[in-house]
Amino acid sequence: MTEENVTVGCSHQKIVVTGYYKFIKIQKKQKPAQYGQSRSDTHFEIKLPVPVPKSIKTAEGLIELINPVLKYNDKEYRPKYEGNGATIITNVELFPNAYCALFRFSIPDKILKQEAVFSIYYNQPVIEIDGKPHASYIPFIPYAGEVKLDENAFVITFEARTGVTLQLRDPATHKVIRKKADQVSLKAENGKIIYVEIIPSSDSSAVSK
């Protein structure tokens, strides 16, 4: 992957994540096809990490709640629960109320172009940390090879919707690009989850929630 640009729209009730990801196809020595499988059957897999509440226990429940959609070349792909497969709650505890879940998308390798741009859209639950509502984002791991990366290629932006402001949690651990009451943009970094507190405005009906 050579680019990740994501917008996280936040309100006190709903979080909507829209991301764009660019991949460069690098030719490597192909592995022999498994018995009963041709090379044309090979797939490219993307694993989307999303913070989810511990209260959701099943893969089917997660897919219904998050409703992740990947789009490539005007075609939509959705994760499916098959056996031990498409959606996994890992053992990674992000904070007391949430785990990390992986949503797996599978795209036929034969339709991929040399430079492939994917868009991903999903809903993210508002998760409480220390009794306060937060939005969060888990960056993909940027490609560390020989491809030259754009300075603005890995930017995560949180945008406040009507009735809320945002406060970055642990700002010292991130490279902040822009920071306002209604918008926070940061440089994605390996291994660093981004947390933003969602603060209802004083004139918002959310205060009585």
Side-chain angles (χ1 to χ4, degrees), residues 86-180:
T87 304
I88 305 167
I89 299 180
T90 72
N91 292 324
V92 179
E93 184 177 76
L94 302 181
F95 31 82
N97 297 318
Y99 283 120
C100 168
L102 295 177
F103 294 85
R104 302 196 316 186
F105 299 90
S106 186
I107 300 95
D109 187 69
K110 61 184 179 181
I111 71 169
L112 293 176
K113 298 179 180 178
Q114 180 68 25
E115 186 175 273
V117 178
F118 300 92
S119 63
I120 297 178
Y121 167 93
Y122 62 93
N123 301 312
Q124 185 188 109
V126 176
I127 298 175
E128 287 194 356
I129 305 176
D130 300 329
K132 299 177 181 179
H134 281 71
S136 55
Y137 184 78
I138 305 175
F140 275 83
I141 298 175
Y143 175 72
E146 298 178 356
V147 177
K148 185 177 180 180
L149 302 178
D150 190 305
E151 178 64 24
N152 299 315
F154 294 91
V155 177
I156 313 301
T157 298
F158 292 80
E159 292 185 350
R161 302 307 191 206
T162 303
V164 301
T165 58
L166 303 175
Q167 179 62 50
L168 176 64
R169 188 182 178 98
D170 302 325
T173 63
H174 298 282
K175 181 180 178 181
V176 179
I177 300 174
R178 292 179 297 275
K179 185 179 179 182
K180 299 186 294 184

Side-chain angles (χ1 to χ4, degrees), residues 21-35:
Y21 312 85
K22 182 183 290 184
F23 290 81
I24 302 296
K25 193 173 183 180
I26 299 175
Q27 298 298 330
K28 293 184 178 180
K29 186 177 180 180
Q30 291 183 315
K31 295 180 181 179
Q34 296 180 353
Y35 178 76

